[in-house]
Amino acid sequence: MNREPSERVDVCIVGAGPAGGLMADGLARRGHDVVVLEAGPRFDADHEDRERRMERSIRPGHGPDSVWEMGGERDAYESTGEQYYPLNAARVKGVGGSTLHWQGMVMRLHERDFRLETETGVGADWPIAYDDLRPHYADAEDELGVAGASDNPFAPPREHPHPQPAFEPSYSDSLFADACEELGIATHSVPNARLSEGREGRSACVGYGTCQPVCPSGAKYDATIHVERAEAAGARVLDRAPVQRLEHDDAGERVTAAVYATPEGEQHRQEAREFVLAAGGVENPRLLLLSESEQYPDGLANSSGLVGRFFHDHLFAGVGGTLDRPTRQNHVGFNTTESHQFYDQPPDGSRGAIKLEFLNYAGPSPVEMALGGDDWGDEMLDRIRANYGTHVAVGALVEQRPRAENRIRLHPERTDDHGNPVPDVVWSLSDDERRTIERANEIQRRIMDELGADVEWTVGPESTGPAFHHMGTTRMGADPESSVVDSQLRTHDLGNLTVASSSVFPTGGAMNPTLTIAALALKAADHVDERL
Amino acid sequence: MELTRRDVLAALAASGAAAGASVSLASDPGDGPVGDHEVDTLVAVARVVYPSAVDGVESFVGQYSVERARDRPEYASGVADAVAALDEYSRTWEDAEFVDLDAERADRTLSGFEVDTADPDPEGSDRERVRYYLVNELLYALFSTPTGGSLAGIENPQGHPGGTTSYQRGPE
Ligand SMILES: Cc1cc2nc3c(=O)[nH]c(=O)nc-3n(C[C@H](O)[C@H](O)[C@H](O)COP(=O)(O)OP(=O)(O)OC[C@H]3O[C@@H](n4cnc5c(N)ncnc54)[C@H](O)[C@@H]3O)c2cc1C
Ligand code: SF4
């Protein structure tokens, strides 16, 4: 394929995940010349290829990151904080980005999330309010084909129903609903970025049950949809074209080119009028730091010194066990009931947001048990029967507060396949966060007790891990001294550089971020369009 | 429980080898690396590793393996290679190829080769490849079908597109 740069380009977008895909689509459809530079490959999108990847994901013998070919020198990283961060499990590089692997839960942040500091005295405020994002949320739900219902008493206000009907609750949801009702905990449906009805030539969910990391039917949304749409509208997408750095003009006010490498070992410069960084919450700050120049020795758009700072994620908390009766798990790979009753942070800021999830895939599946055992024949079947069928689990996402010491920085020694310093993830938990996880565990245990479950495991403060949502590293704000981008997602320092990503979130609540990423990308596309 | 043509198609779908029910299933191996001997060996392995409640093993494994090998040369040569490794072990310890062993000796041979405790690895040692290309191959095929799943209590197992109603249903 020809990977020479294009001439007379309006917009150059770095990264072909949902943020880059939505912006490329929106801008190309408005008649702008768009080039997308994507570091990873374009995976075959056919059904057969997806089924083979699904097989890799189910069968032991393949590394967990190998389904989407992550790892190696290209993706080298370090994790030097108190808490280990498994970065390559937390992202995919390729056309479609991390949504190839994602779970696809998509909910709006709450109104309070946008003014957390004002309301609770901790965290930070966003420079925009829920109402500013509200129309873009509705558009984002439409773009992603979200299946949802309006039965959630805790959800922020909305005008229209979701574009697709919600998935019905599972059998195990009904067990949880009874127990929760006894305890006064309200349960409700989950908005899912997967089709409950076919649309635009895409299949409805058919129940492969392997959504994360791969949906063979294409019912689960992934960003290849918008990348392909952008291409149909005239955008040019170069895969395996990792951007090495951004260059700026003499005045230091505008980005002039994105320098990218090709598989043939060449380097090219893509010039454009506007640039969009959509490389995810880790690579966005890294690329800005790699783009240091004489004028900007600390990296581009970094006059605040905050590029890479305030890295935060959501923390997982969970309790699981078994009942004395069948629970019918692992038929599908997504959840259909949650509770947002413990979401809103108390006014004294004493704990973060908690989002409860009732799993439809608790415990091992029979095929996993068959493949991973050291027996066969009738003995194996007895083991599978004894271990499958009665598991239940309640998970939760717990809010992490943005703290400056948690950060993405360039590692001083280790370099990637192009000789660039690798990202170093410096990550830790605070005592407040540990307490919020404990609070989530308490609620989860009460529910499990009410169900009469035998609790077998707890993911608590000591064993928690990240939910793979990379936020905060190019935070949005009104003040150039304390933020990297403004409310239009444009960097304070360079007038034609937009950052579209959860990296702009000042705080992240406890909702999975991608619907908000999509809403922000649609908003940013409007602003770029206005400037062009 | 009887494995049927529907299960063969389901198992093939779970491995990205066939598309839809329109496929006509061949049982003639043709002349790739997976020939009659390889298919017979897979059937013999399946008789050891499949639960005794499963019927119709020969036609299920035969049709599945032939179809799967047809357009996946790298997989086909992995199977052929693993069969050769198993035969070599079997000849050394039992003086016969694996297909010629009776049920008890076949089980003893696989266990003696420590295939039960081996980590499946397509690029690993002999026993790891036997585990990956023969044992786990067959178990994946079985447990991603509705019939195999049902043995374990799940009629819509992972890897099988069994729709979106089974997850809502309670136990019978
Ligand atoms: C296992 C898992 C489960 C998840 N589940 C959910 C969920 O249920 N709900 C939810 O909301 N979110 C979920 N997420 C998170 C979600 O995937 C991300 O929020 C989302 O994909 C981010 O979109 P993005 O476009 O900003 O970045 P990405 O999707 O990561 O895309 C960035 C793209 O930029 C490319 N890139 C990086 N550096 C460069 C460079 N230098 N040059 C060119 N290209 C570059 C990358 O290759 C990549 O393709 C999950 C993530 C994972 C890993
Ligand atoms: S259950 Fe998941 S993997 Fe299966 S079709 Fe539905 S969305 Fe796709």
Side-chain angles (χ1 to χ4, degrees):
Chain A
M1 126 173 233
N2 171 16
R3 289 190 176 78
E4 300 277 323
S6 304
E7 280 174 40
R8 280 188 300 281
V9 166
D10 294 320
V11 193
C12 171
I13 298 174
V14 183
L22 279 160
M23 286 202 69
D25 175 44
L27 290 165
R29 278 198 287 158
R30 276 175 267 191
H32 302 299
D33 283 323
V34 176
V35 169
V36 181
L37 301 172
E38 166 53 51
R42 191 189 287 271
F43 297 106
D44 275 349
D46 66 53
H47 195 71
E48 218 173 283
D49 182 77
R50 292 284 174 96
E51 278 177 338
R52 288 181 190 191
R53 290 184 196 279
M54 173 180 74
E55 181 185 343
R56 281 182 92 77
S57 79
I58 297 175
R59 290 184 61 165
H62 307 281
D65 301 339
S66 76
V67 173
W68 295 108
E69 299 161 30
M70 287 299 294
E73 281 305 286
R74 184 194 69 180
D75 306 323
Y77 69 95
E78 291 285 337
S79 168
T80 61
E82 256 167 51
Q83 190 95 12
Y84 178 69
Y85 199 98
L87 184 58
N88 286 338
R91 56 181 185 168
V92 173
K93 290 186 182 173
V95 172
S98 305
T99 52
L100 292 166
H101 187 131
W102 77 327
Q103 176 71 23
M105 302 187 213
V106 278
M107 39 288 282
R108 300 179 181 196
L109 286 171
H110 281 194
E111 289 153 295
R112 175 169 293 188
D113 289 321
F114 293 87
R115 42 186 160 83
L116 192 64
E117 191 178 8
T118 304
E119 299 250 346
T120 69
V122 296
D125 286 348
W126 290 49
I128 55 174
Y130 175 75
D131 280 343
D132 297 321
L133 214 49
R134 191 169 159 176
H136 303 295
Y137 267 135
D139 291 344
E141 285 166 346
D142 206 37
E143 293 291 340
L144 270 53
V146 178
S150 303
D151 63 335
N152 178 350
F154 312 104
R158 52 180 305 121
E159 295 74 28
H160 310 292
H162 290 84
Q164 296 244 318
F167 287 91
E168 293 293 326
S170 65
Y171 171 68
S172 55
D173 289 342
S174 70
L175 305 176
F176 279 117
D178 291 346
C180 286
E181 200 178 328
E182 284 299 314
L183 297 170
I185 298 173
T187 58
H188 47 78
S189 63
V190 182
N192 271 295
R194 50 173 54 68
L195 299 182
S196 55
E197 295 173 345
R199 111 169 178 178
E200 290 159 17
R202 282 171 59 206
S203 158
C205 171
V206 292
Y208 275 101
T210 56
C211 316
Q212 190 178 308
V214 53
C215 168
S217 78
K220 179 184 83 169
Y221 170 81
D222 68 53
T224 59
I225 291 166
H226 284 102
V227 175
E228 281 164 20
R229 224 182 266 174
E231 289 181 292
R236 181 165 177 238
V237 179
L238 304 188
D239 73 340
R240 298 197 290 155
V243 173
Q244 309 292 297
R245 64 184 180 277
L246 302 175
E247 293 179 348
H248 60 77
D249 62 2
D250 291 341
E253 286 166 1
R254 297 183 71 78
V255 174
T256 49
V259 178
Y260 63 95
T262 69
E264 293 75 37
E266 292 163 336
Q267 282 213 350
H268 295 298
R269 295 174 76 253
Q270 179 61 60
E271 299 182 355
R273 291 163 66 197
E274 290 278 335
F275 288 84
V276 177
L277 256 189
V282 171
E283 296 299 334
N284 282 343
R286 177 178 176 227
L287 195 50
L288 291 172
L289 296 173
L290 286 174
S291 303
E292 58 172 20
S293 64
E294 220 165 279
Q295 188 169 358
Y296 293 119
D298 298 327
L300 217 54
N302 196 19
S303 59
S304 63
L306 296 182
V307 167
R309 295 271 181 190
F310 294 108
F311 174 68
H312 57 288
D313 201 315
H314 297 124
L315 303 165
F316 184 78
V319 175
T322 51
L323 301 185
D324 57 3
R325 51 198 190 278
T327 56
R328 311 265 303 154
Q329 298 297 284
N330 291 301
H331 289 244
V332 289
F334 59 92
N335 298 326
T336 40
T337 293
E338 288 193 339
S339 176
H340 298 178
Q341 183 159 332
F342 304 92
Y343 188 85
D344 280 338
Q345 305 85 345
D348 63 357
S350 56
R351 70 157 174 84
I354 296 172
K355 184 190 75 149
L356 290 180
E357 307 171 338
F358 301 93
L359 304 197
N360 285 334
Y361 38 81
S365 72
V367 62
E368 281 165 4
M369 277 187 275
L371 297 172
D374 52 15
D375 47 16
W376 47 56
D378 290 341
E379 217 178 295
M380 169 190 69
L381 185 60
D382 289 344
R383 175 175 56 85
I384 295 173
R385 283 177 170 162
N387 290 300
Y388 169 74
T390 57
H391 287 265
V392 279
V394 193
L397 291 190
V398 166
E399 175 169 22
Q400 191 176 33
R401 300 260 162 76
R403 284 181 289 121
E405 64 265 31
N406 281 339
R407 62 192 290 205
I408 305 299
R409 63 182 176 194
L410 300 180
H411 194 267
E413 279 148 33
R414 192 152 176 214
T415 53
D416 69 5
D417 56 344
H418 288 94
N420 294 316
V422 303
D424 180 14
V425 186
V426 184
W427 194 52
S428 64
L429 264 59
S430 71
D431 290 342
D432 285 345
E433 287 150 15
R434 291 198 177 87
R435 273 196 299 276
T436 307
I437 295 174
E438 271 162 17
R439 176 74 183 114
N441 288 156
E442 263 168 46
I443 302 165
Q444 292 165 329
R445 267 193 300 270
R446 272 174 57 216
I447 298 171
M448 295 292 270
D449 286 349
E450 184 63 38
L451 262 181
D454 250 343
V455 170
E456 289 175 357
W457 55 263
T458 299
V459 174
E462 301 314 316
S463 47
T464 187
F468 306 153
H469 306 150
H470 306 146
M471 300 175 287
T473 49
T474 63
R475 62 180 358 203
M476 187 197 310
D479 180 358
E481 303 241 312
S482 59
S483 60
V484 178
V485 305
D486 63 17
S487 58
Q488 298 197 346
L489 277 74
R490 182 157 65 142
T491 62
H492 293 298
D493 297 353
L494 294 119
N496 66 341
L497 178 58
T498 297
V499 183
S501 162
S502 46
S503 64
V504 307
F505 292 13
T507 60
M511 297 298 183
N512 312 59
T514 308
L515 189 71
T516 306
I517 296 172
L520 287 170
L522 295 173
K523 174 173 155 43
D526 289 349
H527 298 308
V528 172
D529 176 51
E530 280 157 23
R531 289 203 293 277
L532 289 168
Chain B
M1 262 190 227
E2 179 79 24
L3 288 163
T4 62
R5 178 190 149 84
R6 176 165 166 256
D7 292 307
V8 178
L9 291 170
L12 286 168
S15 63
S22 58
V23 170
S24 65
L25 294 173
S27 44
D28 171 16
D31 38 79
V34 173
D36 285 332
H37 177 67
E38 284 70 24
V39 172
D40 291 346
T41 306
L42 279 160
V43 171
V45 173
R47 290 198 194 288
V48 175
V49 302
Y50 279 6
S52 55
V54 178
D55 295 321
V57 171
E58 191 170 335
S59 62
F60 174 77
V61 172
Q63 292 177 337
Y64 170 79
S65 309
V66 167
E67 204 61 52
R68 182 144 142 107
R70 193 196 305 281
D71 53 14
R72 294 189 62 176
E74 81 295 0
Y75 156 79
S77 63
V79 170
D81 196 47
V83 167
L86 180 59
D87 275 339
E88 190 185 317
Y89 181 88
S90 176
R91 272 193 302 270
T92 308
W93 294 94
E94 299 287 342
D95 239 354
E97 293 189 329
F98 191 81
V99 283
D100 296 326
L101 305 179
D102 62 26
E104 196 201 315
R105 283 166 76 208
D107 196 332
R108 192 169 67 211
T109 300
L110 273 184
S111 309
F113 202 9
E114 293 175 5
V115 176
D116 48 355
T117 54
D119 285 333
D121 183 349
E123 269 109 48
S125 64
D126 286 356
R127 66 169 53 82
E128 289 168 338
R129 283 180 290 111
V130 169
R131 173 74 192 223
Y132 183 89
Y133 281 110
L134 307 184
V135 174
N136 272 14
E137 175 68 22
L138 291 161
L139 294 177
Y140 180 68
L142 177 64
F143 283 100
S144 57
T145 66
T147 298
S150 295
L151 283 172
I154 181 165
E155 67 278 23
N156 178 21
Q158 264 191 332
H160 175 64
T164 51
T165 50
S166 75
Y167 82 89
Q168 302 173 39
R169 270 199 303 269
E172 312 242 292

